[in-house]
Amino acid sequence: MNFNIIRAARAVLHVTDLEASRKFYVDTLGFVVTESNDNHLYLRGLEEQSHHSLLLKKAAEPALEVLSYRVFSESDLDVLAEFFTDKGLKTKWLEAGTQKAVGRALRVEDISGLPLEFYAKMDTVERLLQRYDLYKGAKVQRIDHFNCMVTNVEKAYDFYIKELGFACSEYTASEGDRIWAAWLHRKPSVHDVAFMNGKGPCLHHIGFWLSDPMSLIHACDVLAASGYTDSMERGPGRHGLSNAFFLYLRDPDGHRIELYNGDYLTSDPDFNPIRWDINDKRRQTFWGHEAPDSWFNETSTVLDVEGEKAVPASEPTLKQHKPTFII
Amino acid sequence: MNFNIIRAARAVLHVTDLEASRKFYVDTLGFVVTESNDNHLYLRGLEEQSHHSLLLKKAAEPALEVLSYRVFSESDLDVLAEFFTDKGLKTKWLEAGTQKAVGRALRVEDISGLPLEFYAKMDTVERLLQRYDLYKGAKVQRIDHFNCMVTNVEKAYDFYIKELGFACSEYTASEGDRIWAAWLHRKPSVHDVAFMNGKGPCLHHIGFWLSDPMSLIHACDVLAASGYTDSMERGPGRHGLSNAFFLYLRDPDGHRIELYNGDYLTSDPDFNPIRWDINDKRRQTFWGHEAPDSWFNETSTVLDVEGEKAVPASEPTLKQHKPTFII
Amino acid sequence: MNFNIIRAARAVLHVTDLEASRKFYVDTLGFVVTESNDNHLYLRGLEEQSHHSLLLKKAAEPALEVLSYRVFSESDLDVLAEFFTDKGLKTKWLEAGTQKAVGRALRVEDISGLPLEFYAKMDTVERLLQRYDLYKGAKVQRIDHFNCMVTNVEKAYDFYIKELGFACSEYTASEGDRIWAAWLHRKPSVHDVAFMNGKGPCLHHIGFWLSDPMSLIHACDVLAASGYTDSMERGPGRHGLSNAFFLYLRDPDGHRIELYNGDYLTSDPDFNPIRWDINDKRRQTFWGHEAPDSWFNETSTVLDVEGEKAVPASEPTLKQHKPTFII
Amino acid sequence: MNFNIIRAARAVLHVTDLEASRKFYVDTLGFVVTESNDNHLYLRGLEEQSHHSLLLKKAAEPALEVLSYRVFSESDLDVLAEFFTDKGLKTKWLEAGTQKAVGRALRVEDISGLPLEFYAKMDTVERLLQRYDLYKGAKVQRIDHFNCMVTNVEKAYDFYIKELGFACSEYTASEGDRIWAAWLHRKPSVHDVAFMNGKGPCLHHIGFWLSDPMSLIHACDVLAASGYTDSMERGPGRHGLSNAFFLYLRDPDGHRIELYNGDYLTSDPDFNPIRWDINDKRRQTFWGHEAPDSWFNETSTVLDVEGEKAVPASEPTLKQHKPTFII
């Protein structure tokens, strides 16, 4: 690889009611609003200097427009454009100024049909890490990772590991030792992106980092007191895979958000990816709770590289395994 | 009332395998062993000066032998004996010395057929509250309450409130405003005992107090790592009723234990019992999780006042309401 | 005793700038405002049904007007009035309606010259325990205790134990085994009131209960971010005595507030008061930090039974022991 | 740079009494013993796959033998050897097999005279992250950073930034805008190493990562209960600089250890180093506590590149600023 992808950096979601989104993300979960207008809500976590890590756009239908990765330099973008073009995958340039606060951006369709974006620059704003007087709800600190359902996890795994330079921290092996799900990272954490076998390409969830486990417990209480009991889909619990303390939420448009605290350092090149057998009892959450069906079956539609049409979802390569995988 | 019941003070459980019990209660949950022999395990929490709050006796069948309340003085016992005799309820004296560490004890059958015990004295031992070097597992602090299934909650409610001097903190009202479940206390907390409508008389669970919510989260992790995933029946979660942070466990004999942190002060005479409608959505745990069927249907058999025969369970007065009540 | 004192129930403080007080207590610490006007701020904790537990009155000079105890019934007030009159101690009745939300109240001067008040009734309001959406700052739950400096702790100890029916949980013994400080309770916690040897009668601090240790850590962060670094006088730390996790604050008028979590149950009559030697190394906070001089030397002036004049402070009976005692 | 330093990876300390060290690090703080013999104790944190991150060697005098950095590949070592030799700095090779579990290692003297080591390989062992049944004390997760006192911080800063490829997260600026202290990282956290102005070259402390703030509070309690009150030198508290929740300990030989939780992600190339003025009130810990003199004045002696003789400490370039800097 002659490019350097730093980390999962932002997601752009289409939502149908910005006021409902604001009540959920800002008033209840405690995201910071960097700025907003009638059609956009630019959100960030308390420690983030980047202008935003979650952009909500008003639209007729809920969807994922794009998953964005930060790269090290402008030249990385050119190399990436050439790479994706060579692979026969669709690309599209968005010049600096096209998107608020974002530098020149390369949008592409990845090997699974997922809409990705790469950029090297985003405007910086005040880091509010020590403005504890502004903390509320889940006290969301920063974006952490994306989780996607794809029809062929092994193909995605090979593409991200061998072509894009990701490393694998943990994976689930299915019949015949096929990779059924995989957690991949660029920054030295458990993941920047995970792929699970399922109807896809679809977005399963976006994970946000919390500072400590009690913030997650408090978030549950605040959500319940604010009328969001039905939004609390799964957890709190401990993931066997990744070891994180987690809570899954559904936003007002059904997009799934994970509140997440607790993974570990994966910086060393001899880190051995942890293998979980799909029939291992520990596939379930570490404390033994099963995931609800909705967690397994429901995902967000993704848009094509033009950000216009929904990409149709196909059936997966491997057999489904009802809520028996982890994370 | 001319007697002064202080608090729920101990439970005597029959268990079939003391070593299995020791591994669960002592090695994993962190109960302190005051003493033990081939047939008895005397356990207490880290802050308790009383010799024990949980006595496990080796027996052929699991059962609850008795639920014990501490009273203020020896004379209270005599007044209680007279009271229960007058009510036509069975009584039995156990003189001091009959039970290790326990003074003169009055055993009775309560209005629902539950085996109770009252005593004024128990040997005291070292309080280990600040021996943090000995803390492990759930770091259990003290016994908190009993929860029983009875066939007629209103009858139990009247008996405990009007005759025994308990006060009600919260209750669930069913069709026709009948009391379906009630939380009653002598010490100024949410409860020393709770009654729920169901097949009874049976023991639903014994509640133990933890010092803080993170001890409960850590207990989940320790239980899972120690192979007790299947013992974790419900939770962690927040109770709507009582507001406590909870985890329900099944011990190796199936007895249910609640780890519990977080109720509130109920000392004032004008405290208004909190009414929960059985059709109120908030009946579920505050965060919206349903209790599993086992939590609803499975209980411990209770023994008669002689501690010998199982008391047969009868069908309840009111309709069952599958996991829709709280705590 | 033919009266039943329930608990420490409220304090009335004189403050010089209500807006500064509101910023500190409400905006930063998270007290709930029940109501307010130009001269009064009626505050309560999140779990309290009582109208208020802290009344701040605008005045020219900061002072403690009165420490209030809740009693069980109106008749307790009459018996208490007779008792204090018999002792030759000043009393004053405030009829119901004189003080907002408070029933008939008996004000007295206690044996140390401290201004006390007893009442049986206070208006009740909505309990906000589960309104987690309103939680902020320290998420103060309820009033817990008073701590006073008096010139003769043994005299106060005897008066409260033998005459008012309090029990002792822990105490510090000085030269010749004289009681140098004592923690006394009516509700079955470590204390409703504590007395320390020093220039008095004066108010040392008012203690408020938090739900858990992380709320206290978060409170430190919020206080620092809100510009109250200089208000954080001592802590966070663990008390040897009482075992509580604590933080001491000075409000804008210099009144000292303790945020407090973690004591233990003291309901049993055979509870052995814990003796701490004044030369015992553990007198210091359990983790070994010394208290600053200000914590030792600075207190709030108390008013006489008429609530008008400051009671002059006298030198203590026993030798001072610079920050070597605990709590 | 044609080499890739991954992270601060281990420290080698000389200690005078291995049993005393074991009681402190293993029995009390909860480090895992990978292996040990009469003269060595190989310790690691609960999440570490590397054989050890802290090696304690029995010796006549306490000292730091070396601070080790993990590099990406064997060839990085060769490039580094050439680099240090070119700079005229002492180097020494330790072939694979010389040190237990460690591959070929390059030892060097850095620009400040500190003994560093680089290696690409260390044996891996079982990761105990989810063996919660083994957790105790502080539940130490992994090594995080080194902190050193040097006579010329700006020289060290330039060397690490410009020559070794570190980035700066935060720094303290003194008179004339001179860099008085600096926090530098390779992994995307606040630091792998920090330099403070003072008598040097000396080791100030080694920082270990905890999973959450409550583990740190619990560690304080366990340390106090285990007789280590005098070992608790500073904290718990919140660092203004780095935002971490911290506790500083002195081990039985006086080496300083930091327990640390809570920094933030520093992966982006446009991260603006945070400047703290040495006269800024916030230089103190975020909650306003001052550091004790010992924290400022006492450090561990470092050995020369041969690991034999103590490197004499010299006076610093800039004026000392008693406990007014942060971390």
Side-chain angles (χ1 to χ4, degrees):
Chain A
M1 281 71 65
N2 291 312
F3 45 80
N4 184 351
I5 299 171
I6 297 172
R7 62 176 180 96
R10 76 157 183 170
V12 181
L13 292 176
H14 288 197
V15 300
T16 58
D17 180 343
L18 272 182
E19 274 319 295
S21 296
R22 179 189 287 266
K23 183 173 179 304
F24 178 77
Y25 285 101
V26 180
D27 299 347
T28 308
L29 290 183
F31 276 82
V32 177
V33 181
T34 301
E35 57 185 297
S36 67
N37 57 37
D38 286 353
N39 292 306
H40 301 81
L41 197 50
Y42 296 87
L43 304 178
R44 71 186 198 276
L46 289 152
E47 76 164 67
E48 292 181 312
Q49 284 191 331
S50 290
H51 182 276
H52 64 276
S53 57
L54 181 62
L55 168 53
L56 305 179
K57 280 191 186 176
K58 187 165 170 50
E61 297 292 335
L64 169 74
E65 181 178 313
V66 83
L67 299 174
S68 310
Y69 290 91
R70 179 84 181 251
V71 300
F72 194 78
S73 67
E74 289 294 319
S75 61
D76 290 329
L77 298 178
D78 299 314
V79 183
L80 277 161
E82 193 179 332
F83 165 79
F84 276 91
T85 304
D86 285 355
K87 289 280 171 188
L89 294 166
K90 287 180 204 152
T91 64
K92 178 184 182 178
W93 285 103
L94 294 175
E95 290 309 311
T98 314
Q99 301 185 93
K100 180 181 278 287
V102 182
R104 187 173 61 128
L106 173 69
R107 292 203 171 183
V108 306
E109 193 178 286
D110 87 349
I111 198 75
S112 307
L114 289 163
L116 305 189
E117 178 181 65
F118 301 92
Y119 58 80
K121 289 187 183 149
M122 182 182 271
D123 292 352
T124 56
V125 291
E126 188 188 356
R127 195 177 64 140
L128 299 174
L129 182 58
Q130 295 187 325
R131 288 296 306 276
Y132 290 102
D133 51 321
L134 303 179
Y135 277 44
K136 65 182 176 180
K139 309 162 190 171
V140 174
Q141 299 288 305
R142 65 172 181 265
I143 195 168
D144 186 79
H145 64 264
F146 312 128
N147 186 306
C148 302
M149 258 192 191
V150 297
T151 58
N152 189 332
V153 172
E154 291 185 337
K155 192 168 70 170
Y157 176 93
D158 286 345
F159 184 77
Y160 277 73
I161 298 283
K162 294 177 190 163
E163 310 279 4
L164 296 181
F166 284 64
C168 178
S169 56
E170 311 200 16
Y171 67 100
T172 303
S174 182
E175 292 79 3
D177 217 31
R178 307 289 298 274
I179 297 176
W180 200 88
W183 283 254
L184 310 178
H185 67 92
R186 282 292 306 170
K187 71 178 179 298
S189 62
V190 170
H191 56 327
D192 285 290
V193 67
F195 297 109
M196 302 194 302
N197 181 71
K199 217 171 158 178
C202 291
L203 172 70
H204 191 270
H205 68 260
I206 306 167
F208 291 92
W209 180 260
L210 304 192
S211 59
D212 66 293
M214 282 305 294
S215 293
L216 195 146
I217 297 295
H218 184 59
C220 292
D221 287 330
V222 173
L223 283 157
S226 302
Y228 287 108
T229 297
D230 292 345
S231 302
M232 299 165 75
E233 187 185 36
R234 182 184 174 195
R238 169 81 64 200
H239 280 311
L241 216 154
S242 87
N243 197 48
F245 191 54
F246 70 86
L247 177 72
Y248 289 98
L249 300 170
R250 303 298 289 273
D251 86 354
D253 284 282
H255 297 305
R256 187 179 289 103
I257 297 298
E258 182 183 16
L259 304 181
Y260 183 92
N261 173 257
D263 62 19
Y264 52 85
L265 189 67
T266 58
S267 59
D268 295 353
D270 61 354
F271 183 86
N272 282 315
I274 298 166
R275 182 192 184 280
W276 295 78
D277 192 287
I278 205 164
N279 295 313
D280 181 345
K281 260 200 107 170
R282 298 170 303 167
R283 282 170 312 161
Q284 300 289 350
T285 47
F286 195 58
W287 303 340
H289 303 89
E290 290 201 6
D293 287 0
S294 63
W295 190 89
F296 191 67
N297 296 324
E298 300 174 12
T299 54
S300 294
T301 297
V302 305
L303 300 187
D304 63 16
V305 79
E306 300 295 334
E308 287 170 3
K309 290 192 208 134
V311 177
S314 311
E315 290 302 320
T317 307
L318 300 181
K319 202 175 97 186
Q320 286 287 55
H321 284 268
K322 220 227 78 177
T324 47
F325 53 85
I326 300 153
I327 292 191
Chain B
M1 283 70 66
N2 291 310
F3 45 81
N4 183 350
I5 298 171
I6 297 173
R7 63 178 179 96
R10 76 157 182 171
V12 181
L13 291 176
H14 288 198
V15 300
T16 58
D17 180 343
L18 274 181
E19 274 319 295
S21 296
R22 179 189 287 266
K23 182 173 180 303
F24 179 76
Y25 285 101
V26 180
D27 299 347
T28 308
L29 290 183
F31 276 84
V32 177
V33 180
T34 301
E35 55 185 299
S36 67
N37 58 37
D38 285 355
N39 293 306
H40 302 81
L41 197 49
Y42 296 88
L43 304 177
R44 70 185 197 278
L46 289 152
E47 76 164 69
E48 292 181 312
Q49 284 190 331
S50 291
H51 182 275
H52 63 276
S53 57
L54 181 62
L55 168 53
L56 304 179
K57 282 189 185 177
K58 187 167 170 49
E61 297 292 335
L64 168 73
E65 182 178 312
V66 81
L67 299 174
S68 309
Y69 290 92
R70 180 85 181 252
V71 299
F72 194 77
S73 68
E74 288 294 317
S75 62
D76 290 330
L77 299 178
D78 299 314
V79 183
L80 278 160
E82 195 180 329
F83 165 78
F84 276 91
T85 304
D86 285 355
K87 288 282 172 188
L89 294 165
K90 286 181 205 151
T91 66
K92 180 186 178 178
W93 284 102
L94 293 175
E95 290 307 313
T98 311
Q99 300 185 93
K100 181 181 278 286
V102 182
R104 188 173 61 127
L106 174 69
R107 293 202 170 183
V108 306
E109 194 179 286
D110 88 346
I111 198 75
S112 307
L114 290 163
L116 305 189
E117 180 181 63
F118 301 93
Y119 58 79
K121 289 184 182 151
M122 183 181 270
D123 292 352
T124 56
V125 293
E126 189 187 356
R127 195 177 65 140
L128 300 175
L129 181 57
Q130 294 186 326
R131 287 295 307 277
Y132 290 102
D133 51 321
L134 304 179
Y135 277 44
K136 65 181 175 182
K139 310 164 190 169
V140 174
Q141 299 287 305
R142 64 171 182 265
I143 195 167
D144 186 78
H145 65 264
F146 311 129
N147 185 306
C148 302
M149 258 193 190
V150 296
T151 57
N152 188 332
V153 171
E154 292 186 337
K155 192 167 72 170
Y157 176 92
D158 286 345
F159 184 77
Y160 276 73
I161 299 282
K162 295 178 189 164
E163 309 279 4
L164 296 181
F166 284 66
C168 178
S169 56
E170 310 200 16
Y171 66 99
T172 303
S174 183
E175 292 79 3
D177 217 31
R178 307 289 299 273
I179 298 176
W180 200 89
W183 283 254
L184 310 178
H185 67 92
R186 283 291 305 170
K187 69 177 182 300
S189 62
V190 170
H191 57 326
D192 286 288
V193 66
F195 297 108
M196 302 195 301
N197 182 70
K199 217 170 158 180
C202 291
L203 173 70
H204 191 271
H205 68 262
I206 306 167
F208 291 92
W209 180 260
L210 304 192
S211 59
D212 66 292
M214 281 306 292
S215 293
L216 196 147
I217 297 295
H218 183 59
C220 292
D221 287 330
V222 173
L223 282 157
S226 302
Y228 287 108
T229 298
D230 292 343
S231 302
M232 299 165 76
E233 187 184 36
R234 182 183 174 196
R238 170 81 62 199
H239 280 311
L241 214 152
S242 88
N243 196 46
F245 192 52
F246 69 86
L247 177 71
Y248 290 97
L249 301 169
R250 303 298 290 272
D251 85 357
D253 285 281
H255 298 305
R256 188 179 288 104
I257 297 298
E258 182 184 15
L259 303 181
Y260 183 92
N261 174 259
D263 61 19
Y264 53 85
L265 189 67
T266 58
S267 60
D268 296 353
D270 62 354
F271 183 85
N272 283 316
I274 299 165
R275 182 190 185 281
W276 294 79
D277 193 288
I278 205 163
N279 294 314
D280 181 344
K281 262 200 106 171
R282 297 170 303 167
R283 281 170 312 162
Q284 299 289 350
T285 46
F286 195 59
W287 302 341
H289 303 89
E290 291 203 6
D293 288 359
S294 64
W295 191 90
F296 191 68
N297 297 324
E298 299 174 13
T299 54
S300 294
T301 298
V302 305
L303 299 187
D304 64 15
V305 78
E306 300 295 333
E308 286 169 3
K309 289 191 208 135
V311 177
S314 310
E315 291 300 322
T317 306
L318 300 182
K319 202 175 99 186
Q320 287 288 57
H321 283 269
K322 223 228 77 179
T324 47
F325 52 85
I326 300 154
I327 292 194
Chain C
M1 283 70 67
N2 291 311
F3 45 81
N4 184 350
I5 299 170
I6 296 173
R7 63 177 179 96
R10 76 157 182 170
V12 181
L13 292 175
H14 288 197
V15 300
T16 58
D17 180 343
L18 273 182
E19 274 319 295
S21 297
R22 179 190 287 266
K23 182 172 179 305
F24 179 76
Y25 285 101
V26 180
D27 300 347
T28 308
L29 291 183
F31 276 83
V32 177
V33 180
T34 301
E35 56 185 297
S36 68
N37 57 38
D38 285 355
N39 292 305
H40 302 82
L41 196 49
Y42 296 87
L43 304 178
R44 68 185 199 278
L46 289 151
E47 76 165 67
E48 291 180 313
Q49 284 190 331
S50 290
H51 183 275
H52 63 278
S53 57
L54 181 61
L55 167 54
L56 305 179
K57 281 189 186 177
K58 187 166 171 49
E61 297 292 334
L64 170 72
E65 180 178 312
V66 83
L67 299 174
S68 309
Y69 290 92
R70 179 84 181 252
V71 299
F72 194 77
S73 67
E74 289 294 318
S75 61
D76 290 329
L77 298 178
D78 299 313
V79 182
L80 278 161
E82 194 179 331
F83 165 78
F84 276 90
T85 304
D86 285 355
K87 289 281 172 188
L89 294 166
K90 286 181 205 152
T91 65
K92 177 184 180 179
W93 285 102
L94 293 175
E95 290 309 311
T98 314
Q99 300 186 92
K100 181 181 278 286
V102 182
R104 188 172 62 127
L106 174 69
R107 293 202 170 183
V108 306
E109 194 178 286
D110 88 347
I111 198 75
S112 307
L114 290 163
L116 305 190
E117 178 181 65
F118 300 93
Y119 59 78
K121 288 185 183 150
M122 182 182 271
D123 292 352
T124 56
V125 292
E126 188 188 357
R127 195 177 65 139
L128 300 175
L129 182 58
Q130 296 186 326
R131 288 295 307 276
Y132 290 101
D133 51 320
L134 303 179
Y135 277 46
K136 65 181 174 181
K139 310 164 191 170
V140 174
Q141 299 288 306
R142 65 171 182 266
I143 195 167
D144 187 79
H145 65 263
F146 311 128
N147 186 306
C148 302
M149 259 193 190
V150 297
T151 59
N152 189 331
V153 172
E154 292 186 336
K155 191 168 73 170
Y157 177 92
D158 286 345
F159 184 77
Y160 277 73
I161 298 282
K162 294 178 189 163
E163 309 280 3
L164 296 181
F166 284 65
C168 178
S169 57
E170 311 201 16
Y171 67 100
T172 302
S174 183
E175 293 77 4
D177 217 30
R178 307 289 298 273
I179 298 176
W180 200 89
W183 283 254
L184 310 178
H185 68 91
R186 283 291 305 169
K187 69 177 181 300
S189 62
V190 170
H191 57 327
D192 285 288
V193 67
F195 297 109
M196 303 194 303
N197 182 71
K199 217 170 159 179
C202 291
L203 174 70
H204 191 270
H205 68 260
I206 306 167
F208 291 92
W209 181 259
L210 305 192
S211 59
D212 66 292
M214 282 305 294
S215 293
L216 196 146
I217 297 295
H218 184 59
C220 292
D221 287 330
V222 173
L223 283 157
S226 302
Y228 287 108
T229 297
D230 292 344
S231 302
M232 300 166 74
E233 187 184 35
R234 181 183 174 195
R238 170 81 63 198
H239 280 311
L241 215 153
S242 87
N243 197 47
F245 192 53
F246 70 86
L247 177 71
Y248 289 98
L249 300 170
R250 304 298 290 273
D251 86 356
D253 284 281
H255 297 305
R256 188 178 288 104
I257 297 298
E258 182 183 16
L259 304 182
Y260 183 92
N261 174 258
D263 62 19
Y264 54 84
L265 189 67
T266 58
S267 60
D268 295 352
D270 62 354
F271 183 86
N272 282 316
I274 298 166
R275 181 189 185 281
W276 295 78
D277 193 287
I278 205 163
N279 295 313
D280 181 345
K281 262 200 104 169
R282 298 171 302 168
R283 281 169 314 161
Q284 299 289 350
T285 47
F286 195 59
W287 302 341
H289 303 88
E290 291 202 6
D293 288 359
S294 64
W295 190 90
F296 191 67
N297 296 324
E298 299 175 12
T299 54
S300 293
T301 298
V302 304
L303 300 187
D304 64 15
V305 78
E306 299 295 332
E308 288 169 3
K309 290 190 207 138
V311 177
S314 311
E315 291 301 320
T317 306
L318 300 181
K319 201 175 99 184
Q320 285 288 55
H321 283 270
K322 221 228 77 178
T324 48
F325 53 84
I326 300 153
I327 293 192
Chain D
M1 282 70 65
N2 291 312
F3 44 82
N4 183 350
I5 299 171
I6 297 173
R7 63 177 178 97
R10 76 157 182 171
V12 182
L13 292 176
H14 288 197
V15 300
T16 58
D17 180 344
L18 273 181
E19 274 320 294
S21 296
R22 180 188 287 265
K23 183 173 179 303
F24 179 76
Y25 285 101
V26 181
D27 299 347
T28 307
L29 290 183
F31 276 83
V32 177
V33 180
T34 301
E35 56 184 296
S36 67
N37 58 36
D38 285 354
N39 293 307
H40 301 81
L41 197 50
Y42 296 87
L43 304 178
R44 71 186 198 276
L46 288 152
E47 76 165 67
E48 291 180 313
Q49 284 191 332
S50 290
H51 183 275
H52 63 276
S53 56
L54 180 62
L55 167 53
L56 306 180
K57 281 190 184 177
K58 187 166 170 50
E61 297 292 335
L64 170 73
E65 182 178 312
V66 83
L67 300 174
S68 310
Y69 290 91
R70 180 84 182 252
V71 299
F72 195 77
S73 67
E74 288 295 318
S75 61
D76 290 329
L77 299 178
D78 299 314
V79 183
L80 278 160
E82 195 180 331
F83 165 79
F84 277 91
T85 304
D86 285 354
K87 289 281 172 187
L89 294 166
K90 287 181 204 151
T91 64
K92 179 185 178 178
W93 284 103
L94 294 176
E95 289 310 311
T98 314
Q99 300 186 92
K100 182 180 278 286
V102 182
R104 188 172 63 127
L106 173 70
R107 292 201 172 185
V108 306
E109 194 178 284
D110 87 348
I111 199 75
S112 307
L114 290 163
L116 305 190
E117 179 181 65
F118 300 92
Y119 58 79
K121 288 187 183 148
M122 181 181 273
D123 292 351
T124 56
V125 291
E126 188 188 356
R127 196 177 64 139
L128 300 175
L129 181 57
Q130 295 186 326
R131 288 296 307 276
Y132 290 102
D133 50 319
L134 304 178
Y135 277 46
K136 64 182 176 182
K139 311 163 190 170
V140 174
Q141 300 288 305
R142 65 173 181 264
I143 195 167
D144 186 79
H145 64 264
F146 312 128
N147 185 305
C148 302
M149 258 191 191
V150 298
T151 58
N152 189 329
V153 172
E154 290 185 338
K155 191 168 72 171
Y157 176 92
D158 285 345
F159 184 76
Y160 277 72
I161 299 282
K162 295 178 190 163
E163 309 279 3
L164 296 181
F166 284 64
C168 179
S169 56
E170 312 200 15
Y171 67 99
T172 302
S174 182
E175 292 78 4
D177 217 29
R178 307 289 298 273
I179 298 176
W180 200 89
W183 283 254
L184 310 178
H185 67 92
R186 283 291 305 170
K187 70 177 181 299
S189 62
V190 171
H191 55 328
D192 286 289
V193 67
F195 297 109
M196 303 194 301
N197 182 71
K199 218 171 157 178
C202 291
L203 173 69
H204 190 271
H205 68 260
I206 306 167
F208 291 91
W209 180 260
L210 304 193
S211 59
D212 66 292
M214 281 304 294
S215 292
L216 196 146
I217 297 295
H218 184 58
C220 292
D221 286 330
V222 173
L223 283 157
S226 302
Y228 288 107
T229 297
D230 292 344
S231 303
M232 299 164 74
E233 187 185 36
R234 183 183 173 195
R238 170 81 62 197
H239 280 311
L241 215 153
S242 87
N243 198 46
F245 192 54
F246 70 86
L247 177 72
Y248 290 98
L249 300 170
R250 303 299 289 272
D251 86 355
D253 284 281
H255 297 305
R256 188 178 288 103
I257 297 299
E258 183 182 16
L259 304 181
Y260 182 93
N261 174 259
D263 61 19
Y264 54 86
L265 190 67
T266 57
S267 60
D268 296 353
D270 61 354
F271 182 87
N272 282 316
I274 299 165
R275 181 191 185 281
W276 295 78
D277 192 288
I278 205 163
N279 295 312
D280 181 343
K281 259 201 107 171
R282 296 170 303 166
R283 284 170 312 161
Q284 300 289 350
T285 47
F286 195 60
W287 303 340
H289 303 89
E290 290 202 5
D293 287 358
S294 63
W295 190 90
F296 191 68
N297 297 324
E298 300 175 12
T299 55
S300 294
T301 298
V302 305
L303 300 187
D304 63 16
V305 78
E306 299 295 333
E308 287 169 3
K309 290 191 207 135
V311 177
S314 311
E315 291 301 320
T317 307
L318 299 182
K319 200 174 100 184
Q320 287 288 56
H321 284 269
K322 222 228 77 180
T324 47
F325 53 85
I326 299 153
I327 292 193

